[in-house]
Amino acid sequence: MTEAEAEAEAVIVDDGSPDGMAVDVDGAVWAAVWGTGTVRRYLPDGRLDRTLRLPARQPAGVCLEEDLLHITTARVGLAVPGPYDGAVFTARVDVPGRLAANYVHHASASPPGKVS
């Protein structure tokens, strides 16, 4: 564990449930909060930095693509879904996401379902 990881703080969400998350270049976590219609950015020290409000009640996932935050929402569990429940949204943000690691196939790895 690095020193920065050891200093990370816990975040407790009192409303809704944290669902999909992404980390930006500052080490902040963007979390879709199911049941609240919000996506929240938490700083590495646990402080809430900002809240994006959506016209959909159940944000389910987030993905950072450079300075674009893509947000998926769901209709599951809603007796009467609204017109934007189940939609995908995109918002421009001022802190880009981290680059994803490239996939590297290891030829020595066993195929799925087989044990070597």
Side-chain angles (χ1 to χ4, degrees), residues 32-56:
V33 185
W34 183 271
T36 67
T38 64
V39 173
R40 301 174 189 170
R41 181 177 187 255
Y42 292 94
L43 299 175
D45 66 5
R47 288 180 294 138
L48 177 63
D49 176 60
R50 67 188 74 167
T51 300
L52 300 177
R53 301 209 179 277
L54 304 171

Side-chain angles (χ1 to χ4, degrees), residues 22-101:
V23 178
D24 63 29
V25 296
D26 289 344
V29 173
W30 293 84
V33 185
W34 183 271
T36 67
T38 64
V39 173
R40 301 174 189 170
R41 181 177 187 255
Y42 292 94
L43 299 175
D45 66 5
R47 288 180 294 138
L48 177 63
D49 176 60
R50 67 188 74 167
T51 300
L52 300 177
R53 301 209 179 277
L54 304 171
R57 292 175 278 174
Q58 298 183 148
V62 294
C63 173
L64 277 164
E65 177 193 19
E66 297 179 4
D67 66 343
L68 297 176
L69 178 67
H70 303 290
I71 306 156
T72 59
T73 67
R75 300 169 63 92
V76 173
L78 297 175
V80 182
Y84 298 106
D85 292 315
V88 177
F89 298 91
T90 299
R92 192 165 300 280
V93 294
D94 57 353
V95 182
R98 290 184 173 176
L99 293 176

